[in-house]
Amino acid sequence: MNRAGKIDPPFEEIGKYYYDNPADNENGEFDIVTKDEKGWIFYEAKYRKKPVTDAMIASEEQQVNKSPLHAYDFGFFSKSGFSLSEKHTEKLYTLEDMYQKI
């Protein structure tokens, strides 16, 4: 999708990110982190039988906000889709989204 120009803005770098801060007893691991002209986007991939919920999104965003890197946006990949009771501005992708023709 990035190469096809379907991500705005396109990301320049992609990887996994983790941090460990033993002094404050905090650590975190993030499945996918991209960098673009605006900064960092953190993505979490959920390969569960149950859809991603509002509570899961809130929990992951709290963890990201504790990390040393500042994220300007968040995204989620879900094998089983989403079960959300409120509107979300995060980038949300299902398994089907990943395998559609570009």
Side-chain angles (χ1 to χ4, degrees), residues 34-59:
T34 61
K35 183 178 182 187
D36 60 42
E37 62 190 28
K38 294 180 181 179
W40 303 99
I41 300 177
F42 283 63
Y43 293 88
E44 184 66 23
K46 298 294 187 187
Y47 297 100
R48 300 176 180 187
K49 291 182 181 182
K50 294 182 180 182
V52 171
T53 64
D54 300 304
M56 293 166 109
I57 289 175
S59 175

Side-chain angles (χ1 to χ4, degrees), residues 5-98:
K6 298 202 179 229
I7 295 180
D8 185 32
F11 59 82
E12 302 156 2
E13 297 179 36
I14 186 170
K16 184 175 186 166
Y17 177 72
Y18 63 94
Y19 71 96
D20 188 22
N21 182 352
D24 293 330
N25 198 26
E26 292 180 343
N27 60 47
E29 182 176 343
F30 306 99
D31 297 328
I32 303 163
V33 179
T34 61
K35 183 178 182 187
D36 60 42
E37 62 190 28
K38 294 180 181 179
W40 303 99
I41 300 177
F42 283 63
Y43 293 88
E44 184 66 23
K46 298 294 187 187
Y47 297 100
R48 300 176 180 187
K49 291 182 181 182
K50 294 182 180 182
V52 171
T53 64
D54 300 304
M56 293 166 109
I57 289 175
S59 175
E60 293 295 337
E61 289 182 4
Q62 283 180 334
Q63 186 179 8
V64 168
N65 289 331
K66 291 180 180 180
S67 80
L69 287 182
H70 172 72
Y72 82 88
D73 205 354
F74 304 96
F76 293 85
F77 296 95
S78 176
K79 172 187 169 189
S80 301
F82 299 88
S83 178
L84 306 174
S85 61
E86 54 190 67
K87 184 175 173 147
H88 286 266
T89 58
E90 298 86 1
K91 299 171 184 306
L92 306 176
Y93 299 101
T94 63
L95 189 60
E96 291 79 23
D97 293 332
M98 299 307 298

